[in-house]
Amino acid sequence: MSHPLLNIFKPVTINHWNLRNRIVMAPLTRGFARDEDGTVTEEIAAYYEQRAKDGVGMIITEGITPMLSGKGTYGVPGLYTDAQTASWKKVTEAVHQHGGTIIAQLWHVGRLSHSDLIGRMPQAPSPIQAEGKVHKLRKPYEMPQSMTAQEIEDVVYHFQMAARRAVLAGFDGIELHAAHGYLIDQFINERTNKRDDKYGGDLLGRLRFLKEIIMAVKKEISPERIIIRFSEKKDDDASYVWNSKAETIQAYLQLFRETGITILHPSTESYAANWSGEFNFHQAVRMQWEHMIIGVGDLSLERAEEAINDGVIDLAAFGRPFIANPDLVQRWTTGLPLTTYDATRHLSVLK
């Protein structure tokens, strides 16, 4: 059955972006960039172009590292060299040619890297080793080095320069990946940040690194074009929960208001899951947040439509369905059946 009249398919204006619909292609780590230099290929350009051609409202790219030390696995693209910037230009031009909007997600993995990948010991707020193995490399995480004040400044600068390069490459905006236990989140999390300087201590101190990155990035791109992805869940620590959920959300949102951020991408495995009392994560954020929210978390089309109509979210992001269905939007609007996502079939190829 086709659904062309649903609100999710109607055009919407979000700050400076006139989107064809409220459907977002979620950031999806694929690992198909050239590993030796972090440039993206014609194949990657075609992959994004296909989704733009199909009519998706917004594309958020896979994580792009702002510096070599941010790389967490093989085939991660970068935005810190001229060659990388030029290679992304082909992607943004292809997407714009079809009337699409594309956002660059900036991603530094911090301690979730390995010296085999980056040629040095991984960086982190404190020397606390992650449990588990490095993605694709399959070696245990190493003991990271605690970042000096100068190294923190250097990473903040690299985020700023990556934002500058994103603008040069033609991106419509950027998303800061401050979720899932990666570097920014490692500073925010009291389990991974034991610092006693201005970047540690209470929650405000632990949020300082994110604040400095936002302030630096704002020098290159307007805050109306910046999305922040944040989460309670950590990819390397399934047991982690916030001590005080309402207060933690409040602290994040206070920081976003102070820095002029208006678009949030709260991340969770399951949009529908109860998170605090009878509310899911996005509803809990919405109760304290007056601006834009992107919903994500194994959403169905029907649940996304309901969340939009209820005013909980403004845009809905889909991940795996976009890997399995380059023409996802067309399939939904015309009522064609979807190809079911199958990791063994779909992850090894870029189509």
Side-chain angles (χ1 to χ4, degrees):
M1 189 176 124
S2 63
H3 309 274
L5 298 174
L6 297 181
N7 280 325
I8 197 168
F9 295 120
K10 294 176 183 169
V12 62
T13 298
I14 302 285
N15 292 352
H16 297 288
W17 305 318
N18 296 314
L19 308 181
R20 295 176 286 195
N21 51 54
R22 294 174 185 262
I23 298 168
V24 177
M25 177 177 168
L28 298 158
T29 301
R30 299 305 309 274
F32 283 88
R34 289 189 187 92
D35 192 61
E36 62 279 9
D37 66 1
T39 57
V40 292
T41 61
E42 299 290 342
E43 187 188 23
I44 291 170
Y47 165 79
Y48 285 117
E49 180 178 12
Q50 179 63 48
R51 274 81 182 161
K53 195 174 174 181
D54 173 54
V56 64
M58 176 193 284
I59 292 169
I60 303 176
T61 67
E62 62 209 279
I64 306 171
T65 181
M67 58 200 298
L68 180 59
S69 65
K71 178 180 174 179
T73 186
Y74 299 116
V76 174
L79 255 178
Y80 54 90
T81 69
D82 291 346
Q84 291 164 353
T85 309
S87 71
W88 277 113
K89 206 162 193 168
K90 293 177 194 157
V91 176
T92 62
E93 283 168 359
V95 168
H96 291 150
Q97 195 183 318
H98 299 286
T101 298
I102 184 164
I103 311 300
Q105 189 198 68
L106 301 182
W107 177 46
H108 191 306
V109 303
R111 69 178 191 161
L112 300 183
S113 186
H114 195 279
S115 54
D116 285 8
L117 296 166
I118 60 176
R120 52 158 294 168
M121 295 310 281
Q123 295 177 297
S126 301
I128 300 168
Q129 199 169 347
E131 291 189 17
K133 292 186 176 175
V134 183
H135 184 51
K136 290 185 185 173
L137 186 66
R138 306 305 303 151
K139 286 187 180 181
Y141 291 114
E142 296 169 308
M143 177 64 76
Q145 287 178 339
S146 178
M147 291 164 71
T148 64
Q150 181 55 55
E151 285 174 323
I152 290 172
E153 212 174 288
D154 188 48
V155 172
V156 170
Y157 174 75
H158 275 87
F159 268 96
Q160 181 182 341
M161 290 302 100
R164 181 178 294 183
R165 287 181 177 280
V167 173
L168 289 172
F171 283 102
D172 299 293
I174 66 160
E175 174 171 279
L176 292 175
H177 196 339
H180 303 167
Y182 298 115
L183 183 63
I184 296 173
D185 206 9
Q186 287 159 29
F187 271 87
I188 300 168
N189 179 351
E190 71 285 358
R191 286 190 189 175
T192 47
N193 182 347
K194 303 292 184 187
R195 301 178 74 94
D196 55 13
D197 62 2
K198 64 181 182 179
Y199 296 100
D202 64 6
L203 183 53
L204 285 182
R206 300 195 311 269
L207 280 164
R208 181 186 292 269
F209 181 57
L210 171 56
K211 183 175 186 174
E212 289 187 1
I213 290 172
I214 295 170
M215 297 307 286
V217 162
K218 272 170 56 176
K219 293 174 185 168
E220 308 298 332
I221 189 167
S222 98
E224 290 88 15
R225 293 180 182 273
I226 301 171
I227 302 169
I228 311 279
R229 187 169 222 209
F230 70 106
S231 69
E232 177 184 56
K233 82 180 190 85
K234 314 296 173 222
D235 285 355
D236 62 315
D237 185 357
S239 72
Y240 181 81
V241 291
W242 286 335
N243 289 330
S244 171
K245 293 177 186 283
E247 279 172 41
T248 304
I249 287 179
Q250 208 172 345
Y252 273 100
L253 302 189
Q254 187 55 40
L255 167 60
F256 300 147
R257 289 187 191 103
E258 280 172 21
T259 51
I261 298 297
T262 55
I263 311 169
L264 303 183
H265 190 179
S267 181
T268 179
E269 295 262 326
S270 168
Y271 176 88
N274 277 11
W275 182 72
S276 178
E278 71 224 61
F279 301 108
N280 69 33
F281 187 44
H282 292 78
Q283 288 166 333
V285 174
R286 172 53 78 207
M287 284 189 280
Q288 298 190 46
W289 182 247
E290 59 281 18
H291 301 297
M292 266 72 74
I293 295 177
I294 301 173
V296 74
D298 202 20
L299 280 166
S300 65
L301 179 63
E302 293 70 23
R303 192 174 290 280
E305 175 73 8
E306 186 186 324
I308 289 165
N309 292 340
D310 289 345
V312 179
I313 64 174
D314 301 275
L315 304 173
F318 301 88
R320 290 169 180 166
F322 267 114
I323 294 177
N325 301 271
D327 55 348
L328 181 64
V329 178
Q330 291 297 324
R331 284 175 181 265
W332 271 335
T333 52
T334 58
L336 284 170
L338 299 192
T339 300
T340 306
Y341 170 81
D342 172 0
T344 53
R345 242 178 82 210
H346 294 120
L347 280 189
S348 58
V349 291
L350 204 61
K351 282 191 175 167

